[in-house]
């Protein structure tokens, strides 16, 4: 028996730790939350160059929604670390003092006690010290190893008010046999917490992806606004030069004065368009500030100039099929659905376990000692002089298990919901990817046709300008040709931006946007 206690003291803690789940390396501080980015406010100035790669990296560490998702990921990672302490031993200790003053019971009315304290009450003082360790085992069992010392003083002792010491070393095992039995039930909360951490990793990826997509959308809108402003400025400069030529022709009598009125009307219209283009640039710059979460410390004159990426190779339908297979293993929305289904499966298994009766086996072993000296009592409690044991089986179950059955049925429906969510996410991925590819092909065709329209209108303008120089055309005809050409160039610019936005939508659909620009959010 003494050997049993030594084995329990030495081996059980090692056994509990050895059966503990292997700690899953949780991401470090640099991965669980976005690293505090050095504020770019100090380096910003007028016309700051901004590449897509730099924008996506800045969005990942500065965008408010992305930062919040990163912090939530850090929270779930820490909660998972807390659950990993499931098998950590617990220290239990208690000190208690009792003062007793009560009438004596029938058993206490003996001939000897009558001689010591005839007819008097029981006056006693008890002091108890309990110290022990509790271990959680993968089987669901609780193992308690404890030592209790009692210091007892009573007026019924002989001689009166003498002190006796009692010691008990005990080992108690309580093993569930049905409900809460087994590793799957014991570690259910741990596995749920682990999946919660993985879910928040995917939510962080999804939020960064969406925020980067929003940033790139603003990037191309800003490019469109700046290029549109440039076209308006060139058009305005050309019109001012033409105005001087018209004025000289009118003064020389080669053109009617009504052409001066046409020029004033054209100048007013193009100035209005120029002001609108300037306002569009300011609005796009403001949206870019919002995407990057730039605050009041950013210089007021700070602005961005998009630096266009290199020409991207065209995407074929075969490549779309390859992208679909790759996206199935990395697309955050689908990964979220798969992880939730895995979570609901664990909960279903736990619900089945909880619907079982609570049947437990309890075994206990103890060594007892009783002496009038504390050191002897302590020593004897570790010996095998007075061993004891007990065994018990307990059953606790409701007569009508309506609650357990209802919870099990509800969890079964949740699993079906999770399965439906996975199927819907997979179909959405394949349909969305094909739709985005078709939209990209359509916008490429539109841009090509619009380019042909611009070239045709440029040729018409050159012909009308030549006719005007020969005096065979009115200035109004030339101005109309210029306006048509400017609008055609703007439509071409819009088409080119739509091509890039369609390419962006395709990268968002398959989740390849971050890889495309070399951004690793886990680093």
């Amino acid at each position: 028996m003494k050997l049993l206690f030594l084995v329990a003291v030495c081996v059980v803690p090692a056994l509990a730790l050895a059966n503990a789940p292997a700690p899953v390396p949780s991401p470090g501080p640099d991965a669980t939350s976005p690293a505090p980015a050095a504020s770019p406010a100090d380096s910003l100035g007028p016309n700051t160059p901004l590449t897509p790669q730099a924008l996506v990296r800045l969005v990942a560490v500065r965008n408010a929604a992305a930062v919040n998702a990163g912090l939530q990921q850090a929270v779930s990672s820490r909660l998972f670390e807390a659950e990993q302490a499931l098998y950590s031993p617990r220290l239990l200790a208690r000190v208690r003092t009792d003062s007793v003053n009560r009438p004596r019971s029938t058993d206490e009315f003996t001939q000897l006690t009558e001689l010591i304290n005839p007819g008097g009450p029981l006056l006693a003082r008890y002091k108890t010290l309990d110290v022990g360790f509790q271990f959680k085992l993968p089987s669901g069992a609780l193992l308690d190893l404890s030592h209790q010392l009692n210091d007892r003083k009573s007026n019924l002792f002989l001689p009166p008010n003498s002190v006796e010491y009692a010691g008990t070393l005990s080992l108690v095992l309580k093993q569930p046999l049905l409900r809460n039995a087994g590793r799957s039930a014991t570690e259910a909360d741990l596995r749920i917490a682990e999946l919660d951490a993985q879910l928040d990793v995917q939510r962080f990826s999804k939020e960064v992806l969406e925020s980067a997509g929003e940033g790139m959308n603003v990037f191309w809108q800003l490019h469109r606004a700046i290029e549109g402003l440039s076209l308006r400025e060139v058009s305005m400069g050309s019109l001012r030069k033409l105005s001087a030529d018209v004025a000289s022709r009118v003064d020389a009598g080669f053109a009617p004065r009504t052409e001066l009125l046409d020029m004033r009307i054209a100048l007013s219209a193009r100035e209005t368009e120029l002001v609108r283009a300037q306002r569009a640039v300011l609005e796009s710059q403001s949206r870019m500030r919002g995407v990057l979460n730039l605050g009041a410390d950013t210089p007021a004159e700070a602005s961005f100039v998009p630096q266009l990426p290199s020409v991207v190779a065209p995407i074929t339908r075969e490549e779309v099929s390859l992208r679909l297979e790759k996206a199935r293993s990395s697309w955050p929305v689908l990964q979220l659905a798969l992880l939730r289904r895995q979570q609901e499966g664990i909960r279903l298994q736990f619900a089945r376990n909880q619907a079982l009766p609570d049947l437990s086996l309890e075994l206990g072993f103890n060594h007892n000692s009783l002496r009038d000296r504390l050191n002897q009592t302590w020593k004897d409690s570790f010996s095998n002089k007075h061993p004891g044991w007990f065994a018990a089986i307990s059953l606790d179950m409701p007569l009508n298990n309506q609650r357990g059955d209802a919870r099990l049925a509800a969890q079964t429906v949740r699993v079906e919901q999770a399965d439906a969510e996975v199927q819907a996410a997979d179909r959405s991925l394949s349909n969305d990817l094909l739709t985005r590819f078709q939209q990209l092909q359509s916008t490429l065709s539109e841009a090509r046709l619009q380019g042909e329209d611009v070239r045709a209108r440029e040729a018409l303008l050159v012909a009308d300008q030549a006719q005007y120089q020969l005096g065979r055309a009115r200035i109004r005809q030339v101005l109309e040709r210029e306006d048509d050409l400017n609008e055609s160039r703007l439509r071409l610019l819009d088409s080119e931006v739509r091509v890039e936005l369609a390419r962006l939508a395709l990268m968002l659909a398959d989740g390849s946007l971050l890889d495309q620009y070399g951004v690793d959010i886990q680093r």
Side-chain angles (χ1 to χ4, degrees):
M1 188 68 72
K2 184 174 183 180
L3 179 62
L4 172 65
F5 283 109
L6 292 176
V7 170
V9 172
C10 299
V11 176
V12 169
L15 181 64
L17 294 177
N19 285 278
V24 177
S26 59
D30 293 336
T32 56
S33 60
S39 175
D42 298 334
S43 60
L44 292 180
N47 302 324
T48 302
L50 186 64
T51 63
Q53 291 86 348
L55 173 61
V56 172
R57 288 190 176 96
L58 282 173
V59 164
V61 296
R62 290 197 60 84
N63 182 268
V67 169
N68 183 63
L71 294 175
Q72 179 58 41
Q73 179 188 348
V75 170
S76 60
S77 177
R78 298 298 179 258
L79 291 176
F80 174 48
E81 289 180 9
E83 289 294 337
Q84 285 181 298
L86 172 65
Y87 293 115
S88 297
R90 299 172 61 87
L91 171 65
L92 306 176
R94 185 181 70 161
V95 178
R96 175 174 174 173
T97 299
D98 291 86
S99 178
V100 180
N101 184 344
R102 63 172 176 77
R104 282 183 289 168
S105 65
T106 303
D107 294 339
E108 293 166 343
F109 276 102
T110 65
Q111 184 177 3
L112 182 60
T113 57
E114 280 297 305
L115 292 175
I116 298 172
N117 185 18
L122 169 64
L123 302 176
R125 186 263 302 148
Y126 304 143
K127 292 182 180 180
T128 305
L129 171 64
D130 278 313
V131 178
F133 297 95
Q134 186 179 79
F135 305 94
K136 182 80 170 179
L137 302 182
S139 64
L142 283 177
L143 183 66
D144 290 325
L145 177 63
S146 63
H147 191 281
Q148 183 182 92
L149 281 176
N150 291 287
D151 174 348
R152 298 185 293 189
K153 182 179 180 181
S154 171
N155 62 348
L156 299 184
F157 291 169
L158 189 64
N161 296 321
S162 59
V163 179
E164 69 175 14
Y165 299 96
T168 303
L169 180 64
S170 61
L171 179 67
V172 178
L173 174 72
K174 184 175 183 180
Q175 172 63 60
L177 301 178
L178 294 176
R179 187 191 302 173
N180 296 322
R183 182 185 287 270
S184 60
T186 304
E187 298 181 358
D189 288 340
L190 174 65
R191 298 308 171 200
I192 292 296
E194 180 182 5
L195 290 174
D196 277 337
Q198 296 177 16
L199 279 166
D200 279 329
V201 169
Q202 294 299 328
R203 290 189 185 103
F204 179 46
S205 300
K206 178 175 177 288
E207 194 60 55
V208 172
L209 186 65
E210 292 176 351
S211 300
E214 180 187 358
M216 286 303 300
N217 191 303
V218 175
F219 177 92
W220 289 111
Q221 295 296 339
L222 178 59
H223 166 69
R224 193 268 179 213
I226 291 176
E227 291 299 313
L229 176 59
S230 177
L231 285 175
R232 295 298 185 188
E233 290 173 342
V234 170
S235 173
M236 195 67 191
S238 173
L239 186 60
R240 288 195 176 101
K241 292 179 182 179
L242 186 59
S243 177
D245 181 69
V246 169
S248 63
R249 283 174 173 269
V250 170
D251 291 341
F254 294 118
R257 288 194 169 274
T258 54
E259 295 203 348
L260 291 175
L261 182 59
D262 289 335
M263 290 302 301
R264 282 198 295 270
I265 293 173
L267 281 169
S268 177
R270 293 192 185 182
E271 284 177 354
T272 301
E273 293 166 351
L274 182 62
V275 170
R276 289 174 180 168
Q278 291 170 342
R279 185 170 65 246
V281 170
L282 291 175
E283 291 173 353
S284 297
Q285 294 284 3
S286 176
R287 285 196 293 271
M288 183 61 75
R289 286 166 166 269
V291 167
L292 296 179
N293 196 26
L294 297 178
D297 58 335
T298 308
E301 68 276 7
S303 60
F304 301 95
V305 177
Q307 305 294 301
L308 301 189
S310 57
V311 178
V312 181
I315 300 174
T316 62
R317 183 175 290 274
E318 290 74 17
E319 186 179 351
V320 171
S321 299
L322 295 175
R323 284 183 174 224
L324 177 59
E325 293 305 316
K326 182 179 179 181
R328 282 197 170 105
S329 63
S330 60
W331 191 45
V333 175
L334 181 57
Q335 295 306 306
L336 284 169
L338 290 170
L339 287 170
R340 277 193 285 265
R341 182 174 66 180
Q342 190 175 350
Q343 254 192 349
E344 296 304 336
I346 292 174
R347 290 192 175 106
L348 176 61
Q349 189 176 7
F350 185 71
R352 287 171 178 161
N353 179 273
Q354 294 301 296
L356 298 173
D358 185 4
L359 180 65
S360 299
L361 171 65
E362 193 169 356
L363 301 174
F365 304 90
N366 54 69
H367 290 167
N368 303 287
S369 63
L370 182 65
R371 300 294 289 269
D372 58 355
R373 292 185 179 180
L374 180 60
N375 58 343
Q376 290 294 329
T377 302
W378 171 266
K379 182 178 178 181
D380 288 351
S381 64
F382 287 94
S383 69
N384 199 24
K385 293 181 178 179
H386 303 284
W389 63 272
F390 72 90
I393 293 181
S394 60
L395 175 65
D396 181 2
M397 61 176 292
L399 296 179
N400 180 7
N401 196 21
Q402 180 179 355
R403 174 178 294 182
D405 293 341
R407 288 178 174 174
L408 179 58
Q411 189 57 44
T412 303
V413 175
R414 290 194 184 102
V415 170
E416 294 174 359
Q417 287 178 327
D419 288 335
E421 183 182 358
V422 170
Q423 294 175 3
D426 186 74
R427 294 193 190 103
S428 174
L429 173 61
S430 56
N431 293 335
D432 201 26
L433 200 58
L434 180 59
T435 301
R436 299 304 180 189
F437 172 73
Q438 293 171 343
Q439 289 176 346
L440 177 59
Q441 299 304 311
S442 175
T443 53
L444 285 170
S445 300
E446 178 188 345
R448 178 177 54 79
L449 294 173
Q450 190 60 44
E452 294 176 359
D453 182 77
V454 169
R455 288 189 289 274
R457 292 183 185 278
E458 286 175 344
L460 283 175
L461 177 60
V462 170
D464 283 344
Q465 287 175 338
Q467 292 294 318
Y468 173 72
Q469 293 297 329
L470 296 174
R472 298 176 183 174
R474 298 284 302 275
I475 190 63
R476 179 180 298 175
Q477 184 176 350
V478 175
L479 294 175
E480 289 175 353
R481 291 295 185 194
E482 279 192 350
D483 288 340
D484 290 343
L485 176 59
N486 288 335
E487 292 302 321
S488 182
R489 284 173 174 167
L490 287 172
R491 287 194 296 272
L492 175 59
L493 178 60
D494 287 337
S495 297
E496 292 171 345
V497 169
R498 279 195 291 272
V499 167
E500 297 302 330
L501 292 178
R503 187 175 284 113
L504 171 65
L506 181 60
M507 289 188 289
L508 286 173
D510 65 4
S512 63
L513 176 63
L514 301 180
D515 293 338
Q516 178 70 29
Y517 294 117
V519 176
D520 183 5
I521 61 174
Q522 294 299 330
R523 189 170 54 196

